[in-house]
Amino acid sequence: MSEWVKICAVSDLIADAGVPALFKDQAIALFYVNDQVYALSNYDPIGQANVMSRGIVGSIKGELVVASPLYKEHYSLSTGKCLEKPEVALTVYSVKVEGGDVWVS
Amino acid sequence: MKKKLVVVGNGMVGHAFLDKLVNSSAFSDYTVTVFGEEPRVAYDRVYLSSYFSGKTAEDLSLVPTGFYEANGIDIRLNEKVVAIDSAAQSITTASGISMTYDKLVLATGSYPFVPPIEGNNRDACLVYRTIEDLEAMKEAATRSKIGVVVGGGLLGLEAAKALVDLGLQTHVVEFAPRLMPVQLDNGGASMLRRKIEKLGVKIHTSKSTKIIEDGETARHKMVFADGESLETDVILFSAGIRPRDELAKQAGLAMGARGGIVINDQCQTSAAHVYAIGECALHGGMIYGLVAPGYAMAQVVVDHLNHKPAAFTGADMSTKLKLMGVDVASIGDPHGTDEAAKSYIYENGPQEVYKKLVVSADGKKLLGAVLVGDVDDYGNLLQLKLNDMDLPEHPDDLILPARAGTKPSFGPDSLPDSAQLCSCYDVSKGRIIQAIDEGATCLADVKNATKACTGCGGCTQLVTSVVNAELAKRGVEVSKAICEHFPYSRQELYHLVKVEGHKDFASLLHAHGEGHGCDICKPAVASILGSVWNAYAFDKKNIPLQDTNDRYLGNMQKDGSYSIIPRVPGGEITPDKLIVLGQVAKDYQLYTKINGGQRIVLFGAKLPDMPAIWKRLIDAGFESGQAYAKALRTVKSCVGSTWCRYGMLDSVKMAIDLENRYKGVRSPHKMKMGVSGCTRECAEAQAKDIGVIATENGWNLYVCGNGGMKPRHADLFAVDLDEATLFKYIDRFIMFYIQTAGRLERTATWLGNLEGGIDYLRQVVIEDSLGIGMHLEMQMQSLVNSYQCDWQQVVDDPEKAKLFYNFVNADEKDPEQLYVRERGQLRPATAQEKLESLAVELV
Ligand SMILES: Cc1cc2nc3c(=O)[nH]c(=O)nc-3n(C[C@H](O)[C@H](O)[C@H](O)COP(=O)(O)OP(=O)(O)OC[C@H]3O[C@@H](n4cnc5c(N)ncnc54)[C@H](O)[C@@H]3O)c2cc1C
Ligand code: HEM
Ligand code: SF4
Ligand code: SF4
């Protein structure tokens, strides 16, 4: 049973980059690319620290990705999958934008 | 019981022999003793003349410090061998040491021939072969104005360069009707003469000196057979070399009619347990006056001692060299001694280029060639000759300028694997392919693995083409594209940004790229924008480009916290500032350490605290150390003349000036500098991208050194500079590096990949050969003028400071950042410690 939580305003996000946020008691990362917002866990499963929101956003063969700022693995923004190590993934959260605010569930 | 091996002579070939022997299995069978007559271990005679342009005797040494000791080789310098008893297998030295041997290697080299002219032993009549000779020349030059070289061959012209470098008005006197009579034909020699005379050296050909007597206006007067005469203060004989075969003669070994120790294809003399190698040896009636054949002989002897089949079957005497800045090359037989041979000549008067080909009667094979003024074709022609390859239909196409039509390019694939590409280190095409198979992925890797291109550098072009072709075959992208989003190299992007005036990533991507960018091209472009426009990393539109280090103006540590590194120019810090650092560290519980760059680092700063921490530091007079940026890191300095008993100049002030000038300049990779106050080099400046060392006469500049993963000693770039010139060269050097380097290429790798290497770099920076010197200086000045402290801007702008938070929607600590107390300070807890939640603290 998922429940939507209001996180922040869209204007708090930075285009083409990530922003860290707290969703309930979980650290998440919000990415704002091509007018769309993506929410993934902020915890880097390989580097073991809450840093994914500080990675560089880009594309690899058409797929939007974020690169870990610690050891540079790439994670898909839409699926959370690690491109270099498919057995590792970030949790993906649902996001909606309503009235200029970002909601996550 | 080990056998005894004795080597006589520690010159270029004698050392090469030991170097090869140590790396072979037979080495463990022998105890090795070496006798050298000179007071020092082997050095590079080929680069002897660079002694006058700043190299020291140590720079010229071929022997890594401690090499002989580490390998248990007993080396006796200043010890001449005076007798060999080949029946008893023993030798005797001048100081009376006697020693038996199982194997003896003679590598005694040669001596300069001084023609039997009356007066040839007068004061300041010298020769040019050893470092002691150089010292004598230097001394004589201090009391002289004019110098004459007797002999216009290869070595004579080298010697003439030395006299010019010593500031003497220089003449060359040659017996034959042309310069370099052995290697050049008349056309090539007269072009060379024209070029050299332009440099102010007077050439006198067809002159035979009869007598040297007291001069009227100078020390000596040389009287020639034709009755003319020439007054001069210094005379340098360079009329050929003679083998040092006196020992062998005394021992009764077989000798050539005109000297030289006769050897067979295994380099054995007439006594089978005695070998002779290098310039003292006579093989097939030839003495080889070049190092490469000597090295080949050394290899044959090492193989023979290892019971491997090997033979020396003669060597190619083709040469390419720069004589007084003039490029000259000679291949095979350039005189067309074969009656039926045909020749082709290309001469370009205005550009002073001369080229000649000699081909076989049927036009199929190359017999010889001469190139003066433009030797780009040398590599191709040499391979055609050495591998006996068929010539194209119109051989003259090979030497005509490319614009005259399509130049037949026989690609690297047409060369056999056995083709020797680098003659200095005998590197074949096969060896290069092997290096690539073993993981080399660029020219610099191949150079490191094989030593190719690191001798005279003449093979660089050819080796580059082989490396690129082989990489391409393996599917390695030799494409210079930095990533999938831009089909351009970093250097090309730099020019696009500058020429088309792109001020942000979006505009560049729109014009020249595709997709969304990535963690390779975005920071690269950010760095270019920084270099070209000094674009501020923290501008909102630049944030998405930055690695987290640049984005948050600190180096991220493993737990996601940051380090705080204020600039401490030259490593000089006042007690008051130290106290502030200590107080801030204490208040924010930061771990404190002195790093390798003479700065103090505060670790463990949390994002939300960073603006406040920096405000306190800036208020105390600190500024950002930019340890997070690809830019100048630190300028390490020694104590210098203000305190140190040995200091020649104030190295600390120089370091501070350097750091303050170049701080903030964004570069392809980080840059480090060092300044030492004397040659003791306590600051280890030669391990830096830019090193400066004080001398009695000013500052010596070293470039392209590196510590880190692939250490490299910096090259001596220029000597005895005053401060203004030093800064001028460094301005130009850094800007040229910024404009031409690849992505994340440190200066050492950049130099390794730069065609023409350090000499080319000197031409650009010192001689301004591209005419861009002033432009580079102006660009640097504009970057210097627009310097801003990154942190000052954050501290001054609440909007920017607001972006340092743990969560956009909550003011809480990061629950993963847990610490453990150790040696009186905090450090990040390990995963295990977090699990056990033992003694961990949330700060
Ligand atoms: C100025 C200059 C420029 C040159 N440029 C080039 C170039 O561009 N390309 C090229 O290929 N070659 C060049 N050469 C030639 C090259 O230097 C020689 O081919 C090379 O040094 C030969 O090496 P070697 O070991 O046979 O002789 P050397 O290097 O002369 O070594 C012989 C050593 O043996 C010692 N010795 C002799 N007799 C005794 C004894 N009885 N007991 C103990 N020790 C003894 C000598 O003192 C000497 O140190 C140049 C030479 C000079 C001088
Ligand atoms: C006669 C020879 C030498 C003298 C008189 C000398 C003198 C000094 C002095 C006075 C210092 C400063 C000490 C201090 O900070 O308290 C120093 C530091 C140092 N010296 Fe030397 N030194 C000599 C040779 C060398 C050599 C040969 C090397 C390296 C190969 C070297 C490497 C260093 C280093 C690495 C430091 C430390 C610099 C730093 O703190 O970062 N020194 N030396
Ligand atoms: S490099 Fe020279 S001047 Fe500097 S500290 Fe060392 S000995 Fe003194
Ligand atoms: S040497 Fe290795 S462990 Fe030490 S600071 Fe550098 S990267 Fe870190």
Side-chain angles (χ1 to χ4, degrees):
Chain A
M1 177 64 220
S2 58
E3 153 202 352
W4 289 98
V5 178
K6 183 165 114 183
I7 303 290
C8 62
V10 174
S11 59
D12 290 329
L13 302 181
I14 303 175
D16 285 325
V19 153
L22 206 55
F23 167 63
K24 299 182 184 162
D25 58 351
Q26 296 162 43
I28 62 169
L30 298 174
F31 299 94
Y32 186 36
V33 190
N34 288 351
D35 283 331
Q36 256 222 277
V37 183
Y38 300 83
L40 299 118
S41 50
N42 198 24
Y43 189 72
D44 177 342
I46 293 170
Q48 304 192 340
N50 286 325
V51 296
M52 290 311 300
S53 62
R54 307 178 216 167
I56 294 182
V57 172
S59 67
I60 289 186
K61 302 211 171 74
E63 178 158 23
L64 288 177
V65 294
V66 57
S68 157
L70 282 168
Y71 302 114
K72 317 298 174 194
E73 300 87 2
H74 298 90
Y75 296 87
S76 159
L77 286 187
S78 45
T79 68
K81 270 233 166 64
C82 176
L83 302 194
E84 289 82 6
K85 294 194 178 159
E87 70 275 16
V88 183
L90 304 180
T91 311
V92 182
Y93 297 82
S94 310
V95 194
K96 65 178 180 182
V97 176
E98 265 177 26
D101 288 326
V102 179
W103 296 72
V104 171
S105 90
Chain B
M1 228 332 243
K2 283 193 178 189
K3 287 178 277 184
K4 281 193 254 177
L5 175 75
V6 171
V7 181
V8 184
N10 189 237
M12 297 188 73
V13 173
H15 172 67
F17 166 74
L18 292 168
D19 192 34
K20 292 171 196 284
L21 180 67
V22 162
N23 290 312
S24 82
S25 56
F27 182 53
S28 54
D29 301 339
Y30 292 95
T31 50
V32 180
T33 311
V34 183
F35 293 97
E37 175 195 37
E38 293 190 60
R40 50 174 63 78
V41 291
Y43 51 90
D44 198 343
R45 282 189 220 288
V46 173
Y47 286 102
L48 213 50
S49 64
S50 63
Y51 185 79
F52 295 113
S53 41
K55 293 258 177 178
T56 61
E58 291 91 81
D59 292 333
L60 288 173
S61 174
L62 292 171
V63 185
T65 314
F67 174 81
Y68 292 129
E69 294 75 6
N71 287 297
I73 294 176
D74 181 12
I75 175 144
R76 318 273 184 95
L77 298 173
N78 267 322
E79 191 68 69
K80 184 174 173 179
V81 174
V82 291
I84 302 174
D85 182 337
S86 75
Q89 301 195 194
S90 71
I91 57 105
T92 310
T93 72
S95 72
I97 302 175
S98 252
M99 185 176 281
T100 59
Y101 60 81
D102 296 294
K103 300 276 180 194
L104 179 65
V105 176
L106 300 175
T108 49
S110 59
Y111 66 92
F113 170 64
V114 178
I117 302 168
E118 188 183 333
N120 65 11
N121 56 355
R122 292 163 56 96
D123 174 36
C125 288
L126 307 168
V127 295
Y128 186 40
R129 183 160 187 97
T130 65
I131 289 186
E132 284 65 34
D133 293 337
L134 301 180
E135 282 160 0
M137 283 166 69
K138 216 170 183 173
E139 184 279 324
T142 56
R143 45 195 179 91
S144 304
K145 283 209 192 70
I146 308 174
V148 169
V149 176
V150 177
L154 198 153
L155 288 185
L157 294 177
E158 276 278 334
K161 165 83 163 61
L163 292 187
V164 172
D165 283 343
L166 284 168
L168 300 186
Q169 191 186 320
T170 305
H171 299 256
V172 173
V173 172
E174 168 60 49
F175 178 74
R178 61 168 186 268
L179 292 174
M180 294 181 68
V182 184
Q183 294 92 347
L184 296 185
D185 67 333
N186 279 326
S190 60
M191 183 65 79
L192 176 64
R193 174 178 189 150
R194 227 165 94 191
K195 291 172 98 89
I196 290 182
E197 286 188 328
K198 264 200 183 164
L199 302 171
V201 175
K202 298 225 168 48
I203 313 277
H204 313 262
T205 46
S206 301
K207 289 272 185 256
S208 150
T209 312
K210 279 279 158 268
I211 184 170
I212 305 168
E213 54 191 32
D214 279 340
E216 281 147 40
T217 56
R219 189 170 299 125
H220 316 289
K221 177 168 160 185
M222 302 171 68
V223 183
F224 303 121
D226 60 8
E228 289 186 28
S229 64
L230 181 62
E231 300 245 331
T232 179
D233 298 309
V234 176
I235 299 178
L236 203 55
F237 290 102
S238 178
I241 54 167
R242 295 289 180 270
R244 296 211 39 191
D245 52 13
E246 65 272 12
L247 258 183
K249 199 184 279 173
Q250 168 272 326
L253 302 179
M255 310 290 293
R258 286 188 291 144
I261 310 169
V262 173
I263 56 169
N264 63 14
D265 284 0
Q266 278 65 49
C267 301
Q268 290 163 299
T269 66
S270 54
H273 51 272
V274 181
Y275 301 89
I277 54 179
E279 287 188 340
C280 61
L282 183 76
H283 178 270
M286 283 278 286
I287 297 260
Y288 291 94
L290 295 174
V291 281
Y295 287 172
M297 293 179 199
Q299 185 64 53
V300 167
V301 176
V302 169
D303 288 344
H304 200 245
L305 292 174
N306 279 283
H307 311 290
K308 283 197 231 165
F312 179 79
T313 53
D316 183 69
M317 295 290 278
S318 302
T319 33
K320 173 179 130 176
L321 61 167
K322 218 183 193 64
L323 288 170
M324 319 192 70
V326 182
D327 289 308
V328 182
S330 156
I331 293 175
D333 169 20
H335 303 301
T337 17
D338 177 355
E339 289 284 308
K342 298 191 276 193
S343 62
Y344 297 87
I345 292 174
Y346 167 79
E347 183 165 355
N348 179 332
Q351 286 175 15
E352 304 192 327
V353 171
Y354 176 91
K355 302 180 186 184
K356 174 180 173 185
L357 288 186
V358 180
V359 307
S360 60
D362 61 3
K364 286 246 164 65
K365 304 287 180 190
L366 182 68
L367 300 179
V370 174
L371 306 168
V372 176
D374 172 2
V375 294
D376 285 353
D377 300 325
Y378 178 76
N380 279 349
L381 295 176
L382 183 64
Q383 293 302 329
L384 281 171
K385 168 87 175 66
L386 292 182
N387 299 301
D388 204 26
M389 294 159 76
D390 281 342
L391 288 169
E393 189 186 346
H394 305 290
D396 50 342
D397 285 348
L398 290 166
I399 50 171
L400 292 177
R403 67 187 135 74
T406 39
K407 204 161 182 139
S409 62
F410 62 104
D413 285 347
S414 58
L415 293 172
D417 280 3
S418 60
Q420 185 196 50
L421 304 187
C422 170
S423 56
C424 296
Y425 288 101
D426 186 19
V427 182
S428 64
K429 181 182 166 193
R431 175 72 189 91
I432 303 240
I433 293 175
Q434 185 197 345
I436 292 172
D437 288 339
E438 288 165 4
T441 57
C442 64
L443 180 64
D445 288 351
V446 169
K447 280 182 173 180
N448 274 339
T450 65
K451 286 189 163 178
C453 312
T454 60
C456 68
C459 59
T460 311
Q461 229 176 349
L462 199 61
V463 172
T464 309
S465 69
V466 169
V467 168
N468 287 347
E470 290 300 323
L471 287 175
K473 269 190 227 161
R474 285 162 180 69
V476 176
E477 283 275 323
V478 194
S479 133
K480 296 165 297 177
I482 76 167
C483 67
E484 68 179 71
H485 306 101
F486 288 97
Y488 297 102
S489 68
R490 178 191 174 276
Q491 187 181 356
E492 289 163 337
L493 287 177
Y494 181 96
H495 287 291
L496 289 172
V497 165
K498 200 166 155 78
V499 173
E500 298 177 5
H502 298 287
K503 295 269 162 67
D504 56 43
F505 182 79
S507 137
L508 186 69
L509 187 72
H510 182 71
H512 297 288
E514 58 178 46
H516 227 85
C518 67
D519 52 317
I520 292 182
C521 58
K522 283 181 170 182
V525 171
S527 145
I528 293 171
L529 293 172
S531 297
V532 178
W533 313 116
N534 225 351
Y536 179 48
F538 215 75
D539 273 349
K540 203 157 179 177
K541 69 179 178 220
N542 288 333
I543 286 182
L545 304 185
Q546 307 290 356
D547 241 326
T548 177
N549 287 350
D550 281 286
R551 174 168 170 189
Y552 290 109
L553 306 173
N555 290 32
M556 186 165 66
Q557 304 303 320
K558 61 201 296 181
D559 65 338
S561 70
Y562 287 84
S563 61
I564 303 266
I565 309 185
R567 193 170 289 291
V568 179
E572 183 184 84
I573 187 164
T574 62
D576 282 336
K577 280 184 159 179
L578 261 182
I579 290 169
V580 172
L581 278 179
Q583 199 58 53
V584 168
K586 223 169 151 175
D587 293 352
Y588 289 90
Q589 302 208 57
L590 304 176
Y591 168 89
T592 309
K593 181 179 191 306
I594 295 173
N595 73 354
Q598 301 189 335
R599 312 205 270 199
I600 295 164
V601 190
L602 313 180
F603 288 91
K606 314 297 172 304
L607 269 179
D609 295 336
M610 288 172 73
I613 292 175
W614 273 106
K615 174 148 190 2
R616 281 179 59 183
L617 295 177
I618 286 172
D619 287 347
F622 285 105
E623 58 184 352
S624 169
Q626 284 161 324
Y628 43 83
K630 303 288 179 242
L632 174 66
R633 292 284 163 89
T634 63
V635 184
K636 182 172 175 180
S637 69
C638 73
V639 182
S641 61
T642 31
W643 291 93
C644 175
R645 282 176 292 150
Y646 301 96
M648 308 296 312
L649 290 168
D650 188 348
S651 53
V652 179
K653 174 167 187 303
M654 174 54 76
I656 294 173
D657 290 349
L658 282 169
E659 191 153 344
N660 282 332
R661 179 165 182 81
Y662 300 111
K663 65 188 176 191
V665 172
R666 294 304 201 265
S667 44
H669 209 309
K670 64 186 169 193
M671 286 189 295
K672 297 181 178 179
M673 305 190 191
V675 186
S676 282
C678 77
T679 53
R680 287 172 190 79
E681 244 284 68
C682 296
E684 299 169 319
Q686 290 169 89
K688 309 289 184 216
D689 297 274
I690 291 179
V692 176
I693 301 178
T695 70
E696 281 168 26
N697 308 315
W699 300 97
N700 281 0
L701 174 60
Y702 292 77
V703 298
C704 302
N706 202 356
M709 261 196 290
K710 275 192 195 160
R712 178 183 192 278
H713 258 277
D715 285 311
L716 178 59
F717 191 68
V719 297
D720 296 341
L721 304 176
D722 58 46
E723 253 173 61
T725 315
L726 178 71
F727 277 91
K728 180 165 94 175
Y729 288 174
I730 298 179
D731 275 9
R732 292 178 177 184
F733 172 86
I734 297 180
M735 270 330 293
F736 189 59
Y737 163 61
I738 290 176
Q739 294 193 355
T740 59
R743 185 183 84 90
L744 297 185
E745 204 171 47
R746 289 287 298 267
T747 56
T749 325
W750 170 65
L751 181 66
N753 285 325
L754 194 66
E755 216 172 276
I758 190 82
D759 287 333
Y760 174 68
L761 195 57
R762 274 200 198 98
Q763 285 165 18
V764 173
V765 170
I766 300 178
E767 291 157 30
D768 197 9
S769 59
L770 301 179
I772 56 173
M774 198 157 86
H775 195 68
L776 295 175
E777 287 165 47
M778 278 161 52
Q779 276 178 301
M780 177 57 80
Q781 192 56 47
S782 109
L783 290 182
V784 170
N785 293 344
S786 56
Y787 167 81
Q788 297 166 303
C789 167
D790 304 328
W791 271 106
Q792 178 85 52
Q793 297 179 72
V794 174
V795 167
D796 287 349
D797 182 350
E799 284 304 309
K800 288 181 177 143
K802 250 174 41 188
L803 295 173
F804 288 77
Y805 46 68
N806 277 340
F807 303 104
V808 63
N809 56 343
D811 188 9
E812 298 208 10
K813 292 182 172 168
D814 180 338
E816 287 294 328
Q817 291 178 341
L818 298 169
Y819 297 85
V820 171
R821 212 164 272 281
E822 191 171 277
R823 297 189 296 276
Q825 304 201 65
L826 294 180
R827 62 150 172 88
T830 62
Q832 189 63 28
E833 287 164 339
K834 284 185 193 173
L835 273 180
E836 295 166 1
S837 21
L838 284 176
V840 295
E841 298 175 41
L842 188 61
V843 276

